[in-house]
Amino acid sequence: EDGKWEAPMVPNPKYKGEWSAKKIDNPNYKPDDKLPLIRKPLKFVGIDVWQVKSGTIFDNIIIADNAAEVDAIVDKTWKATKDAEKAAHDEQEKKDAPPTKTDDSKDDEDKDDKDDKDDEGKEE
């Protein structure tokens, strides 16, 4: 009784101990030390990552040994859609942007500031 709450133990007569996976003999298995050496080291990995308001999107993932193969897939996927996606993004940004002040509103502010300065020198 150290003060920490502990779940009460309920007796379970069917409990056989901690579960572990059974190991099944495979008489046909023969270790092959050369298996990891068959594959050459990877040379190229390409991942198209998008940062968007709702999170991160991983798209168009390719792992290859041949740069020409990667370029062909890039041409079919990313390059085929990048201009349209950029245009759509820019259009959405314009819609979401706060309205900018026009030159007329700036002139009005300047006039107000000038009037305030004129009023400072006058006594009431």
Side-chain angles (χ1 to χ4, degrees), residues 12 16 22-23 28 36 59 72 80 83 89-90 98 101 103 106 120 123:
N12 182 358
K16 298 177 184 176
K22 294 180 182 177
K23 293 187 178 186
N28 297 327
D59 192 18
D83 293 334
H89 176 267
D90 291 345
K101 292 183 179 180
D103 289 338
K106 185 177 180 185
E120 287 176 5
E123 292 182 22

Side-chain angles (χ1 to χ4, degrees), residues 26-106:
N26 182 354
N28 297 327
Y29 175 75
K30 295 178 184 145
D32 185 357
D33 295 335
K34 295 180 183 177
L35 188 61
L37 304 175
I38 293 172
R39 176 93 176 129
K40 295 179 184 176
L42 294 174
K43 294 182 181 180
F44 306 98
V45 176
I47 302 175
D48 186 6
V49 180
W50 294 30
Q51 292 287 306
V52 293
K53 291 179 183 176
S54 60
T56 303
I57 300 171
F58 294 89
D59 192 18
N60 302 327
I61 298 173
I62 179 170
I63 300 172
D65 292 330
N66 185 339
E69 180 183 356
V70 172
D71 288 339
I73 290 174
V74 166
D75 290 341
K76 282 189 232 174
T77 57
W78 179 75
K79 285 185 181 176
T81 60
K82 73 174 183 133
D83 293 334
E85 289 169 354
K86 174 82 169 116
H89 176 267
D90 291 345
E91 185 177 327
Q92 187 63 43
E93 288 291 316
K94 286 180 185 175
K95 289 180 183 177
D96 293 344
T100 57
K101 292 183 179 180
T102 62
D103 289 338
D104 294 337
S105 64
K106 185 177 180 185

